[in-house]
Amino acid sequence: MDPKLLKTKKVYFFGNGYAEGSASMTKILGGKGAHLSEMTLLGIPVPPGFTITTNECVHYLNSDKRISQNLKTEVLYNIKKLEKLLNLRFGDRKMPLLFSVRSGAEASMPGMMETVLNLGLNDETVEGLVETSHNERFAYDCYRRFLQMFGSVVLGIEAKLFENLAGTSTSLKQTVQSFKALIREKTGKDFEQDVHQQLWKAIGAVFDSWNLPRAETYRKLNNIPSKLGTACTVQAMVFGNLGENSATGVAFTRNPSTGEKEIFGEFLENAQGEDVVAGLRTPLSLHVMKEKHKACYKKFLSLQSRLEGHYKDMQDIEFTIQNGELFLLQTRTGKRSAQAQIKIAVDMVEEGIIDQKTAVLRVKPEHIDQMLHPRIDPKTKKKKIARGLPASPGAVSGEIVFNPDDALVLKEEGKKCLLVRRETSAEDIHGMNAACGILTTLGGMTSHAAVVARGMGKPCVVGCGELIVDEKKKSLQVGENIYREGDILTIDGSTGDVFEGKVSTIEAESGEEFKTLMAWADHFRSMKVRANADTPQDAYKAREFGAEGIGLCRTEHMFFDEHRILAVREMILSKTQSERKKALEKILPYQKEDFLGIFRAMAPLPVTVRLLDPPLHEFLPHDEKGIKDLAKDLGCEEEEVKRRIASLQEYNPMLGHRGCRLGISYPEIYHVQVQALMEAVCELKKNEGLYVRPEIMIPLISHVKEYEFIEKDIRAICDDILKKNNVSVKYFVGTMIELPRAALTADEIAKKADFFSFGTNDLTQTTFGLSRDDAGSFLFEYVQKNILPENPFISLDKEGVGKLITMATQNGRAANPTLKVGICGEHGGDPASIQFCFENGLDYVSCSPYRVPVARLAAARAALMSS
Amino acid sequence: MDPKLLKTKKVYFFGNGYAEGSASMTKILGGKGAHLSEMTLLGIPVPPGFTITTNECVHYLNSDKRISQNLKTEVLYNIKKLEKLLNLRFGDRKMPLLFSVRSGAEASMPGMMETVLNLGLNDETVEGLVETSHNERFAYDCYRRFLQMFGSVVLGIEAKLFENLAGTSTSLKQTVQSFKALIREKTGKDFEQDVHQQLWKAIGAVFDSWNLPRAETYRKLNNIPSKLGTACTVQAMVFGNLGENSATGVAFTRNPSTGEKEIFGEFLENAQGEDVVAGLRTPLSLHVMKEKHKACYKKFLSLQSRLEGHYKDMQDIEFTIQNGELFLLQTRTGKRSAQAQIKIAVDMVEEGIIDQKTAVLRVKPEHIDQMLHPRIDPKTKKKKIARGLPASPGAVSGEIVFNPDDALVLKEEGKKCLLVRRETSAEDIHGMNAACGILTTLGGMTSHAAVVARGMGKPCVVGCGELIVDEKKKSLQVGENIYREGDILTIDGSTGDVFEGKVSTIEAESGEEFKTLMAWADHFRSMKVRANADTPQDAYKAREFGAEGIGLCRTEHMFFDEHRILAVREMILSKTQSERKKALEKILPYQKEDFLGIFRAMAPLPVTVRLLDPPLHEFLPHDEKGIKDLAKDLGCEEEEVKRRIASLQEYNPMLGHRGCRLGISYPEIYHVQVQALMEAVCELKKNEGLYVRPEIMIPLISHVKEYEFIEKDIRAICDDILKKNNVSVKYFVGTMIELPRAALTADEIAKKADFFSFGTNDLTQTTFGLSRDDAGSFLFEYVQKNILPENPFISLDKEGVGKLITMATQNGRAANPTLKVGICGEHGGDPASIQFCFENGLDYVSCSPYRVPVARLAAARAALMSS
């Protein structure tokens, strides 16, 4: 194809087995146009027509919204071709040619843009249609449909006004009269009788619909660039509303919910496509079609199977039966549930349609994510009361509350609650955090509630406009029903559905196809996936999900345990090193037990243990009672406890006395931790024959000398314990890279360290100078004002933080070729960040146990996409 | 010189106009040895001797502290040469040759290491000395001196024990006996009679003295590497204690306090060098020498002038007159006060001895710094009660307090106080901050008190062991005197002196020589020096000190003014943008007045104005009364004020809602600031004909889109105001680079910005992940444990933070060749950091007005050193 031609040719014809376009031309013809051409070329019965390119849309939108004369000329030329082919004439009072005018962009944006059917009707041509169809009812049905669509889509009159009018009319002819009167009333002009003017205006309206707010939102959510524009297909009408032998419907080649290989769809007799969508009449099952329209059904079965084989993916097909003759009006890759996506991908490999790589690439990490969230049990009885936008996946039930403070109260009472708000703001964060799900009536997929809920990993439904919330009265109205504080609702953040009462959910399941797909993914993957786990339970869970080690085992959680917190506090309040050592001795056996449990769960896989990280004040009580109790327990003055707490207070704890800084001020803390760890390693080897691969990680290093200071002691203690126990185990000492200075001087540190693990949470905080705890109040605004593409704590900032990771990895490896490099921040579970890690040659990513399958797939996809 | 020879030759001879060494060989012969050789070559009368190299010291210290046989052989060979030259014999009972054994390192370390005089005396040779000198008293005086020095320096017996014994003896012979008895008692052995054994032991003791604690401390303070070692010079004795026609003394070629060109020194008749140091006898003025030792004086005058001319610097010379004959025993560059340093440098240029470049290089930034601190008025009467280490320069008087809380109380009462402690710790910081000076009895130049005081820029004297502090009784004892809380003392942190009562000080002065030197410095300097100034007063001060613009004008100080804080608070508590705008309108005229004042002071020099930076909660009251008053003033509920304060609270304010993040959330704040600024610019131009060069600086940028968002409005407002006023002024918009991400993406930002200014305070905080406010509790330990070479908030961390500066400057300039780059953090006044800025090609540094002269000199020195 001559690219010059592509730029200048504005209209592509298709019809009668010949087409100027093809499936490969979605960029300029949109999905609908390209596939109509493709189907035509395949010999599939498609009403003939032509597609105006996306370039023309862009040109139209950028030039005062005028249809250029050149475009008109090409359109008129193609209309001539259609007239000749069909032996009809556009605007002819005897044999009128009618058109559907349809939008269709490169990326599928179902329902987001506009369509006009039955174009070409006017007071004269409608009579022609009466004559050619011998069916006055049909002709006036078409005319009133056209008036309504043109009136609402092109002239901007509220669709409801037409619907209301229709209800008052006694005949279709009268309806047509009243619709024309409404148009005159609302626009001050008579309804356009010139069919060409109708066409130009309808094409303009389709182009304009590219910029409808709902379309913009959809594009933003799906990362579709706004500059692409939509194509516009003008196609000869076929009529599903010609009588009982006519019909219209949609069908999927496989079940889009379960993925089962079975044709799945519905149809309406004597109807046009919009009726299926509008939901005024209940569509029929395809079984009815099989019985009543046998020949058409048989033909459709063969065509849908052919299309699926041709496109090598499940198809979503629109069809119309006109007087017993089958036409296909659209085919596209069918949307489907996560479960269906996986089943279809695996089945198609087994059917020989696609290969394993394609299957792995077709399943997106989001699908795996959805599979791993609790879902509504499809078998359970439920009453759906509303539907909003699916803002953050997962299903959850809870008592409804109407303000953040109430959410906090319920949380403290140990109850699960849903926070219901008109919209949320920064001041609601504490309540959002306390609630187990969020439901709003306003806002879209990028609203505050949506962004924050996704960040928190909580189910969330937004923009549920059917609900009327009265925050003062603490009530929620849907239609007739009123729900009050304490009533239970269920939301499904994966679909946007809202149900009455508690609906049973099913936990993450991993069917056979899931396991098959993950096995393929593991085969294609080179980067390892580990889990962040602090307890034996988490460690077992992680292995179950396929983790290949622990990338981050935080030891501070062990300090908070109620049996040891007193000893920990005694240690912190000690005035001398020997007092501190005495308190630490008490903690030692507990820590050893912790390590025994975790190592046992993971052996022989590697476990990266991070030495104590948080500032000491986090372990002290801050309320009067806690202080009093502690003073009593330790047998000291309350004043002394208070004084110590005050002296440990910090202005910016994130940048304070924590991490390795503690290990330098109080070396004995790390000494005891390392002792507990190494003794556990030795015991497991000697008593249980378990081989453990410990990696001791020093947090918050900023200068190589900090590392050296601490590393020396660690190695001495480890070697000593190994020698004493006469055990030979390889252990590793390394560091978090979580401060810019560590990344900048990685070459120095790498000379000494066995491994690096990027702590991207803190690295993001320090690189941006942005406290995650405090950013809630303005980060949302940043994303909304398009200053940041997304929350950098969720998806790694490649240009800034990523630059440090690249530098540190390259310089670190250059200084120490055996350096192992991983990531253990929360980004380790984010697909885009995982791809970045792969591109930078990291050895592994580590994430929460539940994200491990997502990470495994993301790592495989990254490898496949780069190969 | 054959380097192999340097390594193998161990001993360098000098005497009788011939020398194997020279002034250029200080590295292996030490200053003393090299200059004795040089003086010998110059034909100056120097007692002959030889110098053992520093390499031998290193070798000795690294090899079980044994004098090698090879070294002994070379020493004995050189002794033979001396015996032949002097016609005396080492250890001979008739004509005994005596030695002084003296230390001397490459860098001058006055008084830090050991010396042994009169070596070679024993019970037999002392009789020979009696015979050759015909002076028994002299001979036994030498012997008892030798016994005492050998006993204390070599054998480690407390010197005081000898002094006590001397007081009880009736004759020198008896003293000798009692000294020998003391040595036997303390060492269990008789005093060493073998002169060769005496020599080997004395050489060993000199080498050992390299590692004396005081020497180590001195090296640490003066950045002298510990691996260098000291040379050891063995030199034939000449005797200043042979009678009234003998003497010993020291003299400077110029006045070391004032720099006046006049010989300045003192001497003692019939004495040895140690007597001058010991201070038991009061030395005589050189005027006495001029009268009583005319010939020697005349000769000395000529020699000292020749030496100063030869070395082209002021010399500190030791001499001895032996029976009317003058010998020089040492010459070295003389230590001098800051004032003298400057005067001598300038005078020597005028005398044609050195050129301007040398003069500028000879004056160190510390000298300028000292000149700019208040000094003790030399003309005032004062009672010095003790001397400690000069830990942080400047002189200050205040009531003494003995704990940090009392310091705080006095400060709140508006009184000046000195915090007196045995030593300080992290828990004293608030008191150190409240005090105007710090005095400790323990600790050295790198103790907590010293490090923190230097950081705070407060005068500090440490390690003042003569003081006995009772912190409980709140009293301070020095000898007989007791000082109690509330008594006034004065400390001079530049000298370590402590005085009783209030001693008058003189403010920074800038004499003629100072101005001359600074003019030369400005001539050699390419990098500009600006000042950080927030008020017209500061701006005038800065210009007085030679600032070439304002590099940082903080606008938040303007917000704190008591007349506007209410409007500021009203703005913060506003619920809507229009309320906020109304409050800002009230602030506008005040801000304009501020800008008018500052611009007027600086025109036509550039002024960089930073838009509002601190988080809003800093402007709100936090005490009950303040909240109550505010609620009343604003006519709202107290609860509302409290709620707003609570909602603005942050976990990590340093990383919170501040800087440009405010400008994005509340654009109207910056709009009003820019409006005030630009209207001031226009008014000055129109009404006073003053040309202003405003540079508008956006703080805390991390992402180029933040910059774009704010910059667009700024330029629109500026252009609009200029147009309205029909004024044409060039203005600039740029940004602080104070977050790692800004530095990492500097190329992106530079495409939009006119200038960068490195905010190295925040950049250091975020690069290290270290809060300056909280680091006090452990940063000191870091420096002490040698983890960090120094506090990175005082001297720029070149490897980490510096790497970001280098990257940002290079990438920024590559993207925008006209980009102006400066630094406005406190490092802008630190000489080492200034040198780094110069090496990285920065256009200017900006520092506090008082540091401007320091920065001007440092910038000149950096340019000269690189050329």
Side-chain angles (χ1 to χ4, degrees), chain A residues 773-817:
Chain A
D773 294 326
D774 302 312
S777 65
F778 55 91
L779 203 51
F780 160 66
E781 219 177 340
Y782 264 58
V783 176
Q784 212 181 36
K785 288 184 175 169
N786 218 8
I787 289 169
L788 288 178
E790 50 200 323
N791 183 330
F793 294 111
I794 293 176
S795 199
L796 194 75
D797 160 49
K798 298 195 187 87
E799 291 77 31
V801 180
K803 199 166 186 177
L804 286 176
I805 291 177
T806 305
M807 276 177 65
T809 306
Q810 287 174 355
N811 296 343
R813 289 248 174 85
N816 173 5

Side-chain angles (χ1 to χ4, degrees), chain A residues 651-655 661 664-665 705-706 739 741 744 767-769 771 773-774 781-782 785 797 803, chain B residues 651-655 661 664-665 706 739 741 744 767-769 771 774 781-782 785-786 797 803:
Chain A
Y651 294 100
N652 294 288
M654 161 69 207
L655 308 176
R661 295 162 192 172
I664 285 168
S665 297
K705 289 217 175 167
E706 294 174 314
L739 296 175
R741 200 185 185 284
L744 290 163
T767 304
F768 272 91
S771 157
D773 294 326
D774 302 312
E781 219 177 340
Y782 264 58
K785 288 184 175 169
D797 160 49
K803 199 166 186 177
Chain B
Y651 294 101
N652 295 288
M654 160 68 207
L655 308 176
R661 296 162 192 171
I664 286 168
S665 297
E706 294 174 313
L739 296 174
R741 199 184 186 287
L744 290 164
T767 304
F768 273 91
S771 156
D774 301 311
E781 219 176 340
Y782 264 57
K785 288 184 175 169
N786 217 8
D797 160 49
K803 200 166 187 177

Side-chain angles (χ1 to χ4, degrees), chain A residues 85-306:
Chain A
L85 185 68
L86 297 167
N87 200 24
L88 296 170
R89 295 228 358 237
F90 185 49
D92 191 85
R93 70 180 66 184
K94 296 232 167 101
M95 304 282 283
L97 172 58
L98 302 190
F99 289 132
S100 69
V101 182
R102 305 165 76 191
S103 57
E106 180 184 9
S108 170
M109 293 167 61
M112 294 299 136
M113 294 182 295
E114 301 288 13
T115 290
V116 178
L117 301 182
N118 306 311
L119 186 136
L121 284 176
N122 57 23
D123 295 349
E124 289 186 344
T125 55
V126 69
E127 291 304 328
L129 192 60
V130 171
E131 277 168 40
T132 52
S133 65
H134 310 294
N135 188 338
E136 188 180 54
R137 203 193 173 285
F138 155 74
Y140 276 91
D141 183 43
C142 288
Y143 198 16
R144 70 109 189 141
R145 285 172 189 272
F146 174 51
L147 285 167
Q148 178 168 352
M149 283 182 122
F150 194 88
S152 62
V153 170
V154 179
L155 304 175
I157 300 166
E158 213 183 327
K160 213 160 202 167
L161 296 179
F162 289 100
E163 282 161 27
N164 295 345
L165 270 183
T168 64
S169 304
T170 54
S171 74
L172 286 167
K173 270 197 172 172
Q174 199 187 343
T175 307
V176 164
Q177 290 310 321
S178 62
F179 281 12
K180 288 202 289 185
L182 175 64
I183 288 171
R184 190 163 39 235
E185 178 197 332
K186 289 291 169 188
T187 65
K189 285 187 211 164
D190 280 337
F191 171 67
E192 180 64 73
Q193 293 289 321
D194 180 329
V195 296
H196 287 96
Q197 289 307 320
Q198 288 175 0
L199 182 60
W200 308 137
K201 284 182 179 164
I203 291 170
V206 164
F207 285 163
D208 285 335
S209 72
W210 174 255
N211 285 333
L212 284 176
R214 62 174 186 247
E216 277 183 18
T217 304
Y218 187 91
R219 286 200 295 271
K220 195 161 183 182
L221 275 176
N222 292 278
N223 292 318
I224 302 170
S226 269
K227 57 176 188 199
L228 299 179
T230 180
C232 176
T233 293
V234 178
Q235 191 175 18
M237 281 297 297
V238 287
F239 301 98
N241 56 341
L242 259 173
E244 291 307 304
N245 202 20
S246 296
T248 188
V250 295
F252 292 84
T253 57
R254 307 203 179 204
N255 186 316
S257 293
T258 65
E260 290 297 325
K261 191 174 181 184
E262 59 185 11
I263 191 161
F264 180 96
E266 48 193 23
F267 82 117
L268 272 174
E269 294 179 329
N270 195 13
Q272 283 199 341
E274 78 222 56
D275 300 331
V276 182
V277 180
L280 292 175
R281 289 162 58 192
T282 306
L284 305 169
S285 153
L286 289 189
H287 293 292
V288 179
M289 180 175 165
K290 191 173 172 183
E291 281 163 29
K292 291 181 62 182
H293 308 270
K294 247 186 205 146
C296 282
Y297 183 75
K298 206 173 149 194
K299 182 156 191 202
F300 183 72
L301 263 193
S302 129
L303 288 179
Q304 63 95 20
S305 153
R306 200 169 145 213

Side-chain angles (χ1 to χ4, degrees), chain A residues 324-348:
Chain A
E325 190 178 353
L326 177 72
F327 293 92
L328 300 199
L329 298 181
Q330 170 160 317
T331 189
R332 60 185 171 194
T333 302
K335 306 257 173 219
R336 66 205 83 172
S337 74
Q339 195 190 346
Q341 179 72 302
I342 293 166
K343 179 162 174 51
I344 292 170
V346 172
D347 284 353
M348 283 193 168

Side-chain angles (χ1 to χ4, degrees), chain B residues 200-308:
Chain B
W200 308 138
K201 285 182 180 164
I203 291 170
V206 163
F207 284 163
D208 286 335
S209 71
W210 174 254
N211 284 333
L212 284 175
R214 63 174 185 245
E216 278 182 18
T217 304
Y218 187 91
R219 285 200 295 272
K220 197 162 182 182
L221 276 176
N222 291 279
N223 291 318
I224 302 170
S226 269
K227 56 177 190 204
L228 299 179
T230 179
C232 176
T233 294
V234 178
Q235 190 175 19
M237 283 296 299
V238 287
F239 301 99
N241 57 341
L242 260 174
E244 291 307 305
N245 202 19
S246 297
T248 188
V250 295
F252 292 84
T253 57
R254 308 203 179 204
N255 187 315
S257 294
T258 64
E260 290 297 325
K261 190 172 181 186
E262 58 185 10
I263 191 161
F264 179 95
E266 48 193 24
F267 80 120
L268 272 174
E269 293 179 329
N270 196 14
Q272 283 198 342
E274 79 220 59
D275 301 331
V276 182
V277 179
L280 293 175
R281 291 163 56 194
T282 306
L284 305 169
S285 154
L286 289 188
H287 292 293
V288 179
M289 181 175 165
K290 190 175 174 184
E291 281 164 29
K292 290 182 64 181
H293 308 270
K294 248 186 204 145
C296 282
Y297 183 77
K298 207 173 148 194
K299 184 157 191 198
F300 183 73
L301 264 194
S302 129
L303 289 179
Q304 64 95 19
S305 154
R306 200 169 145 211
L307 280 172
E308 192 186 84

Side-chain angles (χ1 to χ4, degrees), chain A residues 406-417 433-435 458:
Chain A
D406 291 342
L408 217 57
V409 170
L410 256 73
K411 197 201 169 171
E412 274 161 16
E413 289 174 3
K415 290 182 183 161
K416 290 176 76 177
C417 70
N433 202 36
K458 281 186 204 296

